[in-house]
Amino acid sequence: MRCYLRALLLCTGFTFFSSFYVINHLASTLEDATRRGQDEQRTPDGKSRHTGDGVRKRPGLTGRGAREQDSDRIDSEVKDGGDDSSHLAVVACGPRLEETLTMLKSAVLFSKKPLKFYIFADDELQAGFRNALHSWPTSVQTRFNFTVYPITFPSGNEKEWKKLFKPCASQRLFLPLILKEVDSLLYVDTDILFLQPVEDIWVFFSQFNTSQLAAMAPEHEEPRIGWYNRFARHAYYGTTGLNSGVMLMNMTRLRETFFKNDMTTVALQWSEMLMPLLQKYKLNITWGDQDLLNIIFHHNPECLYVFPCQWNYRPDHCVYGLNCHQAEKDGVFILHGSRGVYHNEKQMAFRFVYEAIKQYPFGENMETSLLQPLEESLQTTTPTYCGRQSHLFTKRLKQSIASVQQEVRRGR
């Protein structure tokens, strides 16, 4: 009898503790599920309700030292490597090797902070980039590093994207999806020349508010000569549209933001939006990926930071008379040789700047081997509108060269 009683007590105790464990575990599981449900719940505009996730709350603030400057301005720093490098991306196909190398050279010549280059090139150019950059003097190579990537488009739609505007130009739209570990970078066309350090335009990232995720300059300042407001068959940003040859991209925000659009009432992420956008507008766009960017930011103007035209100075700003007023005051910061002006005789002021940088030998005195020959060449361009404004091309360049020469004298 005692054995049965002892066994009954043991069974009762075991049952009690087992039930307590199961109930406690079930309660914990339900609590976790509820918390996950709250985290994943979204508002009608597609944004998360959860405010505890710092990346969601302030996209782009990954990496070292991310800090809030004030209530609506935040730092946007590069997370990979945790260094002070400026990250620069370019896409080159066809006969663009020399032009792209000259652009990269201009970036290296005047920048004081390290540079990271992301070079997207077709198969025929990849070895040329590697060989050329490895042939630069060792003292120059220590100031940058680079990676060469193949041209890649979403499977099944490669031909459509490749033939959009110029070969490979639309590759830039997919950089946030390819460079998944990069937080922020500066994209430039191959026909860009830096006349001052890259880090100077990089500073604009720190001026983004919490909704801004990209920065570009207007296509025109003067609506009477604007292209978009006179000829576009689609929506565009602002009064005169945007030129995308120089574009700051907060890649983290581009990947995470839900964008308003005219294709669906549901906000779409970057990766979801590109192909439907092309399908809808491919018969109505002239300038390819730039037009698609104009459409996107027309519907999402709060996402764009606009910088002045001297950061993307093109022949259109002087060929019909000066129409970049900020350049009159401060000079040209970044020269954009659109319409092939580096390689023809239509606007020799642009070509002379290009030739001066291309021909400058690394290590030589830049005042005597770059600036002085350039100024002599520019004196012959005064009969043209752009030639009459060529002093704006050298105004900031002189300051950049003087700063570099001072560093050299200090033993840079």
Side-chain angles (χ1 to χ4, degrees):
M1 184 68 180
R2 291 179 179 176
C3 291
Y4 288 119
L5 183 60
R6 189 178 294 121
L8 179 61
L9 290 172
L10 288 173
C11 290
T12 301
F14 178 78
T15 302
F16 173 78
F17 286 110
S18 297
S19 301
F20 178 80
Y21 172 78
V22 170
I23 293 171
N24 185 64
H25 181 71
L26 179 60
S28 176
T29 302
L30 290 173
E31 182 180 357
D32 290 343
T34 301
R35 186 179 297 116
R36 284 196 301 272
Q38 291 173 344
D39 288 350
E40 293 170 0
Q41 185 178 6
R42 295 187 181 278
T43 60
D45 63 358
K47 296 182 180 178
S48 173
R49 293 184 188 275
H50 179 47
T51 59
D53 184 342
V55 175
R56 275 292 181 194
K57 187 176 181 182
R58 294 189 221 135
L61 293 187
T62 50
R64 67 173 187 83
R67 60 181 177 81
E68 193 168 338
Q69 291 184 322
D70 54 44
S71 60
D72 65 347
R73 293 190 181 278
I74 56 177
D75 288 333
S76 175
E77 298 184 354
V78 178
K79 68 181 178 182
D80 36 288
D83 57 25
D84 291 327
S85 300
S86 298
H87 292 225
L88 179 67
V90 65
V91 178
C93 289
R96 298 284 182 169
L97 178 62
E98 181 184 82
E99 184 176 89
T100 307
L101 288 170
T102 304
M103 180 275 293
L104 297 174
K105 184 179 182 181
S106 73
V108 172
L109 284 177
F110 306 120
S111 295
K112 297 178 182 178
K113 292 188 176 182
L115 295 165
K116 166 63 179 175
F117 297 142
Y118 302 85
I119 304 169
F120 288 79
D122 56 18
D123 295 343
E124 292 75 14
L125 298 186
Q126 292 177 22
F129 278 115
R130 294 189 181 96
N131 294 336
L133 294 174
H134 284 308
S135 72
W136 287 4
T138 303
S139 59
V140 176
Q141 292 188 47
T142 59
R143 285 147 52 190
F144 71 92
N145 57 61
F146 71 97
T147 306
V148 178
Y149 298 85
I151 301 296
T152 54
F153 292 111
S155 58
N157 304 111
E158 298 96 330
K159 291 183 178 179
E160 282 192 88
W161 287 112
K162 258 200 165 183
K163 69 182 182 181
L164 184 64
F165 191 45
K166 296 179 180 178
C168 307
S170 57
Q171 177 75 88
R172 167 254 300 276
L173 296 175
F174 299 95
L175 296 184
L177 311 180
I178 298 171
L179 303 175
K180 295 180 180 179
E181 298 304 313
V182 179
D183 177 67
S184 300
L185 58 74
L186 169 64
Y187 165 86
V188 295
D189 287 345
T190 60
D191 53 0
I192 291 297
L193 291 173
F194 292 94
L195 305 184
Q196 68 176 58
V198 175
E199 58 263 25
D200 288 352
I201 190 171
W202 192 263
V203 170
F204 284 132
F205 278 122
S206 67
Q207 299 180 19
F208 282 18
N209 64 31
T210 53
S211 66
Q212 290 167 336
L213 48 75
M216 287 178 274
E219 175 74 7
H220 290 283
E221 280 202 340
E222 175 51 65
R224 289 177 296 177
I225 61 171
W227 191 90
Y228 282 103
N229 54 293
R230 294 189 296 159
F231 305 117
R233 295 178 292 166
H234 55 79
Y236 54 88
Y237 178 88
T239 304
T240 59
L242 300 164
N243 185 278
S244 61
V246 179
M247 180 179 179
L248 291 166
M249 305 171 71
N250 184 313
M251 309 270 272
T252 301
R253 294 185 180 187
L254 281 164
R255 285 186 287 264
E256 296 183 350
T257 297
F258 286 78
F259 296 87
K260 300 184 292 293
N261 60 87
D262 61 354
M263 298 171 291
T264 172
T265 57
V266 178
L268 300 175
Q269 287 189 294
W270 193 260
S271 59
E272 303 169 321
M273 180 172 53
L274 294 178
M275 196 61 216
L277 198 65
L278 175 63
Q279 294 296 339
K280 179 172 182 176
Y281 286 104
K282 61 183 177 181
L283 299 179
N284 294 320
I285 56 179
T286 303
W287 308 112
D289 56 314
Q290 177 173 291
D291 289 347
L292 296 182
L293 289 169
N294 266 279
I295 295 167
I296 291 171
F297 289 108
H298 168 83
H299 295 291
N300 301 270
E302 72 283 357
C303 294
L304 188 73
Y305 181 98
V306 179
F307 51 71
C309 50
Q310 78 262 43
W311 295 96
N312 185 355
Y313 191 92
R314 298 170 291 114
D316 288 354
H317 289 120
C318 57
V319 70
Y320 306 113
L322 189 64
N323 60 84
C324 178
H325 298 295
Q326 199 66 32
E328 289 186 77
K329 177 183 176 182
D330 301 320
V332 175
F333 297 170
I334 294 178
L335 199 66
H336 186 175
S338 57
R339 307 182 191 277
V341 293
Y342 293 155
H343 313 292
N344 58 44
E345 298 182 356
K346 293 181 179 179
Q347 298 298 333
M348 293 302 295
F350 282 80
R351 181 169 177 174
F352 284 147
V353 178
Y354 173 80
E355 293 292 339
I357 293 175
K358 184 184 74 170
Q359 296 172 10
Y360 166 74
F362 282 116
E364 296 290 325
N365 184 296
M366 279 200 278
E367 291 177 352
T368 58
S369 299
L370 194 162
L371 183 59
Q372 291 179 11
L374 173 58
E375 289 182 319
E376 292 175 5
S377 298
L378 290 175
Q379 290 177 5
T380 67
T381 65
T382 53
T384 65
Y385 278 120
C386 291
R388 292 171 196 163
Q389 307 300 330
S390 62
H391 62 283
L392 302 179
F393 296 5
T394 57
K395 183 174 183 177
R396 188 53 61 121
L397 181 62
K398 287 179 181 179
Q399 298 177 25
S400 298
I401 289 175
S403 180
V404 170
Q405 291 300 117
Q406 188 176 21
E407 290 289 320
V408 170
R409 288 190 288 269
R410 290 177 179 174
R412 177 179 172 179

